[in-house]
Amino acid sequence: MYIFKAAVVGAGTMGGEIAQVISFSGLPVVLKDIDEKMLERGMAKAREIYQRRVDKGKMSAGEMQAKMDLITPTLTYEGFEDVDIVIEAVPERMDIKKRVFQELDEVCPEQTIFASNTSALSISEMGAATKRPHKVVGMHFFNPASVMKLVEVIPGLDTSQETVDDVVMFAESLRKIPVVVQECPGFLVNRLLMPYLNEATKALEEGAATATEIDRAVVEWGMPMGPFTLMDMLGLDVCAHVGQYLYSEYGDRMEPARLFEKLVAAGRLGEKTGAGFYDHPGGESEVVYKMIKELQDSGAVRTGTKFSVERLMYPLINEAALCVQEHIASISDIDMAMVAGSGMTYGGERIGPLAIADKIGLDVVVAKLEELAKELGPRFLPSRPLKLRVRAGHLGVKTGKGFHEYA
Ligand code: 3HC
């Protein structure tokens, strides 16, 4: 099915960016919210992205206006009677998402695809709440959606292959790189990023290093931005929510750092509230270190642990190996998704976590994870697919075979 017209429900920053991406490809898109302020914010976000292109000489003011005219803001379901796809980007609560899809069931034609931009929640559960589970699919964009190339396409248990194919083609028409990912909590990229972001926060609250030191070390390692800069951009409420959800689904290895609760309770949600791990503007914040001291003094967190960049990156590699074992995506898709979804590089090359592990040597990664497990706890224990490869002598580039094969 070709997509001629789209709609986005939920006009927060993400909704506005997704509407911009769709209009940029030349398609008309209806942008709906129930809150006029949110709708204005979504339209302002789309305008801001186009304006940056105009300022850089990449587009004329007239072209910008023509693209903006493709976005129709609305507070009702007017315009939904002939849309081919709806992407929901409403708050991350299953009850809200189900309600929105049930409303959409009443106003959209029966062939309309319902896509969810959820960060982690179950697509199958959303599908089951509609009259068209075969048409319900995950379509997960990455922040900033106008820039990041990846779109995860997640079929639920009852999603038809036709729906998956249509959404893959639609994502390509938006100039994105679609990767089909099997349903699991956090899907692929958030499932891999969260242990890394969480470990960065544990290292910070345990006094292993400052936020700036950790961010700098991670950028030197090859990520485009450090974990605290990234989390402040994503929103700490979003990170805390995804973190809690993954903990409830995967158990102890994903137990969230305590600092998240404190920051969210204090309204320090990141760039959007002017303060998160950092002050915006301002950088490092005394308030955060005061919170850390309180956590340490109360005995809620350990103190005196050591920071190393491996402490952050190897749990991500370990989780990627588990995703291979669970067939969440193919080895090359896992690597490609992390490059396109998080901008990961290593040694100047744009390669993903499994190729990075191959370069480092799987035996080296396993030995370091075992050392970290002794020092910091069982969340670091190397996963079976990593150990299996080491036992088989598949150590990576140096033996010609690891996750990938080398000539
Ligand atoms: N919003 C919109 N556009 C932005 C932007 C923003 N916040 N920040 C930068 N850009 C644009 C710039 O205008 C520029 O556009 P151009 O190529 O047309 O000129 C382009 O991005 C590159 O920007 P810069 O050269 O200024 O900046 P960088 O080279 O530092 O790149 C970045 C910025 C692309 C954001 C890069 O730092 C990056 O890739 N960071 C990692 C982001 C990431 O990991 N995202 C995924 C998070 S997980 C997620 O979103 C899932 C969700 O469910 C939680």
Side-chain angles (χ1 to χ4, degrees):
M1 185 178 92
Y2 191 78
I3 310 284
F4 291 99
K5 182 179 173 187
V8 177
V9 179
T13 307
M14 201 57 167
E17 288 224 14
I18 296 172
Q20 185 275 334
V21 169
I22 296 172
S23 65
F24 190 54
S25 78
L27 283 186
V29 52
V30 183
L31 179 61
K32 179 192 183 290
D33 206 289
I34 45 171
D35 179 338
E36 193 154 3
K37 278 216 180 76
M38 289 299 276
L39 198 55
E40 277 166 19
R41 197 187 296 172
M43 290 300 284
K45 186 72 206 178
R47 202 171 297 112
E48 177 195 315
I49 295 164
Y50 280 128
Q51 189 59 52
R52 254 205 307 263
R53 293 187 68 79
V54 172
D55 295 345
K56 285 180 182 163
K58 291 182 168 180
M59 171 179 255
S60 71
E63 283 164 344
M64 165 175 166
Q65 194 50 52
K67 296 288 187 197
M68 280 305 293
D69 287 347
L70 288 169
I71 310 177
T72 308
T74 177
L75 292 168
T76 69
Y77 282 117
E78 202 186 326
F80 279 66
E81 60 287 345
D82 59 351
V83 292
D84 302 302
I85 187 167
V86 182
I87 302 168
E88 74 75 16
V90 301
E92 284 288 88
R93 272 182 39 201
M94 186 55 89
D95 56 331
I96 301 180
K97 293 194 188 278
K98 283 182 181 174
R99 200 178 61 232
V100 165
F101 280 137
Q102 281 159 356
E103 287 171 9
L104 287 166
D105 247 344
E106 302 306 314
V107 293
C108 296
E110 62 181 32
Q111 72 273 14
T112 305
I113 295 170
F114 291 172
S116 171
N117 180 51
T118 178
S119 299
L121 301 177
S122 168
I123 303 302
S124 302
E125 189 175 344
M126 287 177 218
T130 71
K131 294 179 194 151
R132 60 184 90 190
H134 63 296
K135 288 275 182 188
V136 178
V137 68
M139 190 176 184
H140 185 209
F141 290 79
F142 290 81
N143 209 315
S146 54
V147 182
M148 304 310 288
K149 284 287 169 204
L150 180 69
V151 170
E152 287 178 329
V153 177
I154 308 112
L157 275 181
D158 297 313
T159 312
S160 69
Q161 188 57 43
E162 191 188 350
T163 301
V164 174
D165 294 344
D166 288 344
V167 171
V168 163
M169 230 160 63
F170 175 53
E172 281 169 350
S173 77
L174 302 178
R175 302 183 183 90
K176 297 290 181 194
I177 299 172
V179 171
V180 178
V181 171
Q182 296 314 309
E183 184 172 336
C184 66
F187 315 127
L188 176 64
V189 173
N190 280 347
R191 175 171 168 183
L192 266 52
L193 279 180
M194 212 52 224
Y196 143 74
L197 297 174
N198 195 34
E199 198 53 44
T201 312
K202 287 193 173 175
L204 175 68
E205 69 187 15
E206 291 170 6
T210 65
T212 311
E213 284 164 351
I214 295 173
D215 268 0
R216 197 179 303 129
V218 167
V219 170
E220 272 166 22
W221 192 85
M223 297 301 268
M225 50 172 61
F228 301 111
T229 308
L230 177 61
M231 286 189 276
D232 274 3
M233 180 181 91
L234 295 175
L236 301 194
D237 48 343
V238 175
C239 296
H241 175 269
V242 174
Q244 271 301 338
Y245 181 63
L246 297 194
Y247 177 41
S248 71
E249 294 281 326
Y250 293 112
D252 287 349
R253 75 175 188 276
M254 300 260 188
E255 186 181 7
R258 300 297 300 273
L259 189 55
F260 284 117
E261 272 166 55
K262 277 202 168 262
L263 290 165
V264 172
R268 296 185 68 100
L269 305 184
E271 282 174 25
K272 62 185 168 191
T273 58
F277 284 104
Y278 296 115
D279 286 337
H280 301 275
E284 290 276 12
S285 157
E286 273 177 28
V287 179
V288 173
Y289 289 93
K290 205 165 148 244
M291 287 178 183
I292 291 174
K293 180 142 194 332
E294 278 164 19
L295 281 173
Q296 292 178 348
D297 289 349
S298 69
V301 299
R302 292 176 65 172
T303 52
T305 63
K306 282 197 246 107
F307 170 70
S308 67
V309 80
E310 290 83 5
R311 176 176 171 179
L312 275 49
M313 303 315 302
Y314 286 17
L316 186 159
I317 290 172
N318 213 14
E319 202 62 37
L322 282 174
C323 288
V324 174
Q325 178 175 269
E326 292 172 28
H327 304 288
I328 299 302
S330 69
I331 289 171
S332 20
D333 276 358
I334 292 174
D335 276 344
M336 183 170 65
M338 286 306 288
V339 170
S342 76
M344 187 171 228
T345 69
Y346 183 74
E349 279 182 86
R350 286 166 65 79
I351 55 175
L354 300 168
I356 292 172
D358 280 355
K359 279 213 153 193
I360 295 169
L362 301 194
D363 50 339
V364 177
V365 173
V366 166
K368 184 69 189 179
L369 281 167
E370 280 167 348
E371 190 188 312
L372 287 163
K374 274 199 203 113
E375 223 174 279
L376 298 165
R379 65 184 182 276
F380 287 95
L381 284 173
S383 61
R384 197 177 300 274
L386 267 178
K387 288 197 295 193
L388 195 73
R389 281 174 172 77
V390 171
R391 284 180 194 143
H394 298 187
L395 306 183
V397 177
K398 62 188 166 193
T399 59
K401 202 175 198 181
F403 285 102
H404 298 271
E405 292 200 7
Y406 301 87

